[in-house]
PDB file of all heavy atoms in Angstrom:
ATOM      1  N   ALA A  71     -22.314 -30.844 -25.536  1.00 97.00           N
ATOM      2  CA  ALA A  71     -21.574 -31.104 -24.297  1.00 97.00           C
ATOM      3  C   ALA A  71     -22.484 -31.793 -23.281  1.00 97.00           C
ATOM      4  O   ALA A  71     -23.711 -31.762 -23.387  1.00 97.00           O
ATOM      5  CB  ALA A  71     -21.044 -29.794 -23.718  1.00 97.00           C
ATOM      6  N   GLY A  72     -21.867 -32.420 -22.295  1.00 95.00           N
ATOM      7  CA  GLY A  72     -22.646 -33.122 -21.266  1.00 95.00           C
ATOM      8  C   GLY A  72     -23.654 -32.221 -20.580  1.00 95.00           C
ATOM      9  O   GLY A  72     -24.822 -32.594 -20.386  1.00 95.00           O
ATOM     10  N   ALA A  73     -23.223 -31.008 -20.218  1.00 96.00           N
ATOM     11  CA  ALA A  73     -24.136 -30.061 -19.559  1.00 96.00           C
ATOM     12  C   ALA A  73     -25.292 -29.690 -20.472  1.00 96.00           C
ATOM     13  O   ALA A  73     -26.424 -29.501 -20.013  1.00 96.00           O
ATOM     14  CB  ALA A  73     -23.372 -28.817 -19.125  1.00 96.00           C
ATOM     15  N   SER A  74     -25.017 -29.593 -21.777  1.00 97.00           N
ATOM     16  CA  SER A  74     -26.066 -29.248 -22.738  1.00 97.00           C
ATOM     17  C   SER A  74     -27.147 -30.317 -22.767  1.00 97.00           C
ATOM     18  O   SER A  74     -28.344 -30.014 -22.748  1.00 97.00           O
ATOM     19  CB  SER A  74     -25.468 -29.101 -24.142  1.00 97.00           C
ATOM     20  OG  SER A  74     -24.386 -28.209 -24.158  1.00 97.00           O
ATOM     21  N   VAL A  75     -26.719 -31.564 -22.813  1.00 97.00           N
ATOM     22  CA  VAL A  75     -27.659 -32.686 -22.876  1.00 97.00           C
ATOM     23  C   VAL A  75     -28.476 -32.782 -21.589  1.00 97.00           C
ATOM     24  O   VAL A  75     -29.704 -32.955 -21.615  1.00 97.00           O
ATOM     25  CB  VAL A  75     -26.914 -34.005 -23.141  1.00 97.00           C
ATOM     26  CG1 VAL A  75     -27.878 -35.193 -23.112  1.00 97.00           C
ATOM     27  CG2 VAL A  75     -26.186 -33.946 -24.482  1.00 97.00           C
ATOM     28  N   LEU A  76     -27.801 -32.651 -20.448  1.00 96.00           N
ATOM     29  CA  LEU A  76     -28.503 -32.731 -19.161  1.00 96.00           C
ATOM     30  C   LEU A  76     -29.512 -31.593 -19.017  1.00 96.00           C
ATOM     31  O   LEU A  76     -30.645 -31.808 -18.560  1.00 96.00           O
ATOM     32  CB  LEU A  76     -27.496 -32.688 -18.013  1.00 96.00           C
ATOM     33  CG  LEU A  76     -26.642 -33.934 -17.811  1.00 96.00           C
ATOM     34  CD1 LEU A  76     -25.515 -33.659 -16.828  1.00 96.00           C
ATOM     35  CD2 LEU A  76     -27.499 -35.101 -17.331  1.00 96.00           C
ATOM     36  N   ALA A  77     -29.114 -30.386 -19.413  1.00 96.00           N
ATOM     37  CA  ALA A  77     -30.017 -29.241 -19.310  1.00 96.00           C
ATOM     38  C   ALA A  77     -31.235 -29.429 -20.213  1.00 96.00           C
ATOM     39  O   ALA A  77     -32.380 -29.208 -19.797  1.00 96.00           O
ATOM     40  CB  ALA A  77     -29.278 -27.955 -19.676  1.00 96.00           C
ATOM     41  N   ARG A  78     -30.993 -29.846 -21.435  1.00 96.00           N
ATOM     42  CA  ARG A  78     -32.090 -30.024 -22.388  1.00 96.00           C
ATOM     43  C   ARG A  78     -33.045 -31.118 -21.926  1.00 96.00           C
ATOM     44  O   ARG A  78     -34.269 -30.971 -21.996  1.00 96.00           O
ATOM     45  CB  ARG A  78     -31.496 -30.366 -23.762  1.00 96.00           C
ATOM     46  CG  ARG A  78     -32.500 -30.374 -24.898  1.00 96.00           C
ATOM     47  CD  ARG A  78     -31.787 -30.312 -26.241  1.00 96.00           C
ATOM     48  NE  ARG A  78     -30.830 -31.382 -26.440  1.00 96.00           N
ATOM     49  CZ  ARG A  78     -29.508 -31.202 -26.538  1.00 96.00           C
ATOM     50  NH1 ARG A  78     -28.986 -29.992 -26.444  1.00 96.00           N
ATOM     51  NH2 ARG A  78     -28.706 -32.226 -26.734  1.00 96.00           N
ATOM     52  N   THR A  79     -32.498 -32.216 -21.431  1.00 96.00           N
ATOM     53  CA  THR A  79     -33.319 -33.346 -20.990  1.00 96.00           C
ATOM     54  C   THR A  79     -34.191 -32.984 -19.800  1.00 96.00           C
ATOM     55  O   THR A  79     -35.336 -33.452 -19.681  1.00 96.00           O
ATOM     56  CB  THR A  79     -32.420 -34.539 -20.629  1.00 96.00           C
ATOM     57  OG1 THR A  79     -31.634 -34.894 -21.773  1.00 96.00           O
ATOM     58  CG2 THR A  79     -33.252 -35.745 -20.202  1.00 96.00           C
ATOM     59  N   ASN A  80     -33.665 -32.129 -18.923  1.00 94.00           N
ATOM     60  CA  ASN A  80     -34.380 -31.797 -17.691  1.00 94.00           C
ATOM     61  C   ASN A  80     -35.084 -30.446 -17.728  1.00 94.00           C
ATOM     62  O   ASN A  80     -35.596 -29.984 -16.701  1.00 94.00           O
ATOM     63  CB  ASN A  80     -33.402 -31.840 -16.509  1.00 94.00           C
ATOM     64  CG  ASN A  80     -32.919 -33.243 -16.209  1.00 94.00           C
ATOM     65  OD1 ASN A  80     -33.638 -34.032 -15.606  1.00 94.00           O
ATOM     66  ND2 ASN A  80     -31.707 -33.569 -16.643  1.00 94.00           N
ATOM     67  N   GLY A  81     -35.120 -29.812 -18.885  1.00 94.00           N
ATOM     68  CA  GLY A  81     -35.815 -28.535 -19.002  1.00 94.00           C
ATOM     69  C   GLY A  81     -35.155 -27.413 -18.233  1.00 94.00           C
ATOM     70  O   GLY A  81     -35.831 -26.492 -17.760  1.00 94.00           O
ATOM     71  N   VAL A  82     -33.830 -27.473 -18.109  1.00 95.00           N
ATOM     72  CA  VAL A  82     -33.080 -26.446 -17.388  1.00 95.00           C
ATOM     73  C   VAL A  82     -32.552 -25.410 -18.377  1.00 95.00           C
ATOM     74  O   VAL A  82     -32.014 -25.753 -19.430  1.00 95.00           O
ATOM     75  CB  VAL A  82     -31.903 -27.080 -16.615  1.00 95.00           C
ATOM     76  CG1 VAL A  82     -31.005 -26.002 -16.010  1.00 95.00           C
ATOM     77  CG2 VAL A  82     -32.425 -28.008 -15.525  1.00 95.00           C
TER      78      VAL A  82
END
Side-chain angles (χ1 to χ4, degrees):
S74 307
V75 176
L76 288 169
R78 189 163 57 246
T79 302
N80 292 282
V82 173

